Every structure is written in C-alpha cells, then in structure tokens.
C-alpha cells in the first residue's frame, strides 16, 4: 500500500475514533443532563430548547424590539405570574370594560414588586386595585412595571403598549435605575439611548453550532466562555466597557470599593458629571404624551431607607444623593405642569417597610397602596 493511502487510512480511522468518542461523550452528557443533573445544574447547562421543553416559559423576560427586554407573557412560578399581555398579575382585556377606570402603574422592580416575588397579590398595584374596589370604585390597576426599566423604557412602553389599553390614569415611580445608568465613563458615553450603559444584542437564539452540543455547551459554560442559555443577561443585554454599574456592585459586595476605575474616577465624580438630564427629558416627554391622549398622571418620588448602610447601591451616600436629585426633578415638574406628586421619599423611610432599603416588603406595599388609595378615592369617587 502506498504511503498516501496509508496516511489517508490513518486519518480516516482517527476521524472515526474521534467522532465515536465525541458521540459517546455527547450521549453521556445528554443522559446526565436529562436524568441525573440537579435542577440547578440543568438550568445552568441546558439549551434554550431543553429549558423550554422542561419548563415551558422558563424565564421572566423576553427580548423586545423597542424595549430591549420586557416581561415574558404567560410566565408562572408559584404565586407569581405574568398575563398574556406581558404584565404582572391577572389577565387584562385589551378592550376596557364600559364604566371601568384604568390605572397603569409604571416603573422598575419597585413597581413590579421585587420584594414580594413569591406572590403577585402582594404587589402594590394589586393591593391598590383591591382597596379601591373595596371602596366601591370600578377600577382596574395594571402593573406595568418591569425590573431594570428606566424612564426611557417606561416612555416607550407607554407609547407602544399601554396606550392601546386606554388607561385613564398613569402612576410613575422611578429613581434607582435612572441613577444606575449614570454610572458610565468617560462622560461621552452617557447618552440618551443608554447605549453606554447596556447594549441590546440578541442572545436568545442558539449562539453557535458548537452550543447545540450538550457536551460542548457544558464545557463552555463551566469554563466561563459563554453565559448559560437561561441567563437573564442573554435577554437583558451586555455591559459595554463604559458601564461601571456592575463593577461598583461587585466591589461593594466584596468590600473592595474603590478599586480599578474608581481609584481615578470615584462614583461621586461620575454621578456629578453625568447629571440626570435624560431622566428629566424622558419624564417631560411622558407627561406630554399622556396629556395629548387625555391620560392623567400621578408622579411619586422614590422612597428609600438610610438604615441599610451595607446595601449594594442604596447604602452608598453618593447613590442616595443621586436619588434625591431625581426626586427634586419630580417635585419641580409636578409644580411646573400642575401634576399630582406623592412625596414617598419624605413619607416612607422606616426600615421595616423594606427588604433591602429600596424594595418594599408586604408591609411596605400595603402602606404604599393605602397612600395611593387616598389619592384615587378622592379623584375617582
């Protein structure tokens, strides 16, 4: 047999051996993932297809064309649920029932109810609806909050989704997320589209042919080469080099702040350079759009407790000052536009109302709902 033929035969045998070995490893990996892996390991290593096959709607978020990300419709976990329209809570008809007054509550995780994730019925919007109905008022309260959203997403959400539901009232409660978007450097990365804070690349689809392999995907995830397919960051987006929010978060948790970029640019300087101009612009635009469609607005300042000094974000004095600055904008815009302002920052400060200094627990949500109830009872009743 000639040398080229011998070489070709050896290569063929090698390819067949490698293919057979990979096939065995792949089958073993799939068997382990399906039959023996813990739920945590399964969620960490499974593909999007495998996650959906086991859980159905496996994550609370979905990529969205205009919003970057939004709540996943039909998501259910224990006592938490999203309706068919992608709002937390019970089903809502697109057509508003005759005689019904609709109130839409907008904001981030503090409106969604991050402190009571286990039961949507303990969130402020749901409690407000029940309280007003107990007063005999024909109201429907929509929880239009989404964790991570800023005034930019709320503005887009109002124009593209909420207006279709013809709300009569809009409650706007924002603060912390708009402060976090200011943690970018250099200053030129601070833009109205927030692209210096998060990029909106699509990661929902299987990212590569290699990731279709369970064996290869497990290795890639375990060695940190890719994010797990069920990771929320594959939906929410990636932090570009100019974003320092998560670096600040990590250093605060590790008690290593200030380090890295913060040695040269402390968080106070970063926030001072990046003033809340986009927060004010988005809020002004939201008020203008609401007025153009005959929707009345109630603004609320962002409440927090200073009794959580070790909390990652709200425990730092510079972040507290950033929240205070946004709250001053809310008060000023309320006066300029004759819009009702509920000053929760000055009213709700007790530690026992919060889980972490900014997210309300059940008791906090009940107090907050009662505060809004008094306003709407006088306006609607």
């Amino acid at each position: 047999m000639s040398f080229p033929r011998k070489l070709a035969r050896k290569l063929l045998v090698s390819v067949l051996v490698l293919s057979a070995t990979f096939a065995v490893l792949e089958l073993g990996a799939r068997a382990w993932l399906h039959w023996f892996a813990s739920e945590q390991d399964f969620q960490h290593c499974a593909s999007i297809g495998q996650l959906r096959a086991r859980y159905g709607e496996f994550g609370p978020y979905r990529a969205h064309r205009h919003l970057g990300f939004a709540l996943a419709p039909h998501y259910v976990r224990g006592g938490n649920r999203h309706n068919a329209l992608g709002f937390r809570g019970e089903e809502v008809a697109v057509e508003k029932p005759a005689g019904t007054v609709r109130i839409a509550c907008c904001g981030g995780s503090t409106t969604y109810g991050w402190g009571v994730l286990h039961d949507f019925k303990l969130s402020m919007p749901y409690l407000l609806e029940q309280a007003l109905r107990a007063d005999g008022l024909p109201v429907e309260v929509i929880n239009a909050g989404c964790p991570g959203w800023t005034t930019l997403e709320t503005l887009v959400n109002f124009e593209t989704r909420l207006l279709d539901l013809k709300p009569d009232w809009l409650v706007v409660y924002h603060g912390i997320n708009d402060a976090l978007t200011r943690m970018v450097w250099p200053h030129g990365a601070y833009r109205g589209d927030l692209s210096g804070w998060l990029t909106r690349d699509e990661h929902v689809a299987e990212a590569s042919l290699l990731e279709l392999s369970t064996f290869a995907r497990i290795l890639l995830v375990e060695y940190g080469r890719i994010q797990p397919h069920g990771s929320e960051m594959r939906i929410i987006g990636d932090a570009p080099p100019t974003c320092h929010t998560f670096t600040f978060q990590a250093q605060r948790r590790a008690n290593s702040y200030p380090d890295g970029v913060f040695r040269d640019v402390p968080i106070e300087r970063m926030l001072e350079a990046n003033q809340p101009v986009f927060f004010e612009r988005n809020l002004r635009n939201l008020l203008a759009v609401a007025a153009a469609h005959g929707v009345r607005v109630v603004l609320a300042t962002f409440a927090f407790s200073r009794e959580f000094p070790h909390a990652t974000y709200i425990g730092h004095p510079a972040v507290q000052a950033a929240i205070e600055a946004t709250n001053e904008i809310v008060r000023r815009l309320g006066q300029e536009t004759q819009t009702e302002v509920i000053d929760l920052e000055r009213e709700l400060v007790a530690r026992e109302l919060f889980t972490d200094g900014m997210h309300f627990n059940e008791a906090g949500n009940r107090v907050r709902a009662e505060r809004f109830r008094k306003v709407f009872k006088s306006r609607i009743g």
Side-chain angles (χ1 to χ4, degrees):
M1 183 181 295
S2 65
F3 177 75
R5 287 188 176 182
K6 290 182 179 180
L7 180 60
R9 184 175 182 180
K10 288 182 179 180
L11 288 175
L12 179 60
V13 171
S14 298
V15 169
L16 291 174
V17 170
L18 288 174
S19 298
T21 302
F22 185 82
V24 170
L25 291 172
E26 178 65 15
L27 290 172
R30 293 193 178 202
W32 170 80
L33 189 66
H34 185 74
W35 298 107
F36 304 107
S38 66
E39 286 300 301
Q40 183 177 358
D41 285 338
F42 181 86
Q43 293 168 13
H44 195 61
C45 298
S47 70
I48 289 175
Q50 290 165 333
L51 288 164
R52 285 188 173 142
R54 177 172 292 192
Y55 300 118
E57 191 59 66
F58 65 87
Y61 307 109
R62 282 268 188 90
H64 191 277
R65 178 182 178 187
H66 302 295
L67 295 164
F69 66 96
L71 299 183
H74 305 295
Y75 172 79
V76 178
R77 283 293 181 276
N80 192 21
R81 64 167 297 183
H82 302 163
N83 62 32
L85 298 177
F87 299 112
R88 189 184 192 197
E90 296 176 331
E91 294 300 328
V92 176
V94 175
E95 287 295 324
K96 183 170 60 176
T100 298
V101 177
R102 270 187 174 164
I103 302 169
C105 297
C106 298
S109 57
T110 46
T111 294
Y112 178 88
W114 193 263
V116 289
L117 279 177
H118 62 289
D119 190 350
F120 78 89
K121 293 183 178 180
L122 299 179
S123 64
M124 189 283 293
Y126 184 86
L127 294 173
L128 174 61
E129 179 182 84
Q130 297 305 301
L132 291 174
R133 287 183 177 179
D135 290 330
L137 299 176
V139 302
E140 197 172 54
V141 181
I142 299 171
N143 187 338
C146 178
W149 275 6
T150 69
T151 49
L152 176 61
E153 285 80 22
T154 285
L155 172 62
V156 176
N157 186 56
F158 180 63
E159 290 200 79
T160 59
R161 299 172 75 212
L162 282 179
L163 280 176
D164 292 340
L165 303 180
K166 296 180 172 56
D168 301 284
W169 291 85
L170 192 68
V171 175
V172 183
Y173 183 74
H174 272 292
I176 184 62
N177 291 337
D178 285 82
L180 299 183
T181 65
R182 295 164 56 193
M183 295 182 182
V184 298
W185 198 261
H187 173 64
Y190 184 49
R191 307 183 188 98
D193 64 357
L194 305 184
S195 58
W197 185 57
L198 282 183
T199 57
R200 301 300 191 191
D201 295 329
E202 177 62 83
H203 293 291
V204 179
E206 310 285 359
S208 68
L209 288 175
L210 189 60
E211 291 180 46
L212 290 174
S213 161
T214 298
F215 174 69
R217 187 174 57 256
I218 291 173
L219 293 180
L220 291 170
V221 169
E222 289 303 310
Y223 285 96
R225 304 298 297 181
I226 63 171
Q227 295 175 345
H229 282 203
S231 168
E232 291 177 358
M233 291 307 291
R234 292 179 75 100
I235 305 293
I236 292 172
D238 298 315
T242 53
C243 172
H244 304 292
T245 305
F246 305 110
T247 303
F248 181 74
Q249 177 190 57
Q251 290 184 16
R252 287 276 292 167
R253 287 177 174 173
N255 199 29
S256 62
Y257 176 86
D259 197 6
V261 65
F262 295 113
R263 291 180 178 177
D264 299 320
V265 187
I267 196 65
E268 291 84 356
R269 180 184 170 193
M270 204 173 288
L271 292 171
E272 176 62 28
N274 302 327
Q275 289 293 307
V277 292
F278 303 126
F279 174 85
E280 180 170 350
R281 185 172 76 184
N282 294 334
L283 211 51
R284 283 187 181 278
N285 290 340
L286 183 60
L287 289 170
V289 175
H293 291 270
V295 181
R296 301 179 68 179
V297 178
V298 174
L299 299 174
T301 56
F302 192 86
F304 63 93
S305 173
R306 299 178 186 274
E307 298 182 56
F308 291 79
H310 301 295
T312 303
Y313 293 123
I314 209 67
H316 195 283
V319 178
Q320 295 172 8
I323 298 298
E324 290 169 346
T326 62
N327 285 340
E328 281 302 315
I329 292 173
V330 170
R331 296 184 188 105
R332 175 163 50 81
L333 288 182
Q335 290 180 343
E336 289 180 11
T337 61
Q338 296 184 329
T339 300
E340 176 114 27
V341 175
I342 300 178
D343 208 340
L344 295 183
E345 182 197 356
R346 293 172 178 170
E347 298 178 21
L348 307 183
V349 297
R351 178 184 177 88
E352 58 266 23
L353 300 178
F354 299 88
T355 61
D356 56 4
M358 60 183 181
H359 293 106
F360 288 92
N361 55 27
E362 178 182 350
N365 280 331
R366 292 191 182 279
V367 172
R368 190 164 52 143
E370 177 60 23
R371 183 66 179 87
F372 281 107
R373 169 185 168 268
K374 292 178 180 178
V375 171
F376 285 110
K377 186 178 180 181
S378 65
R379 298 293 184 274
I380 300 172

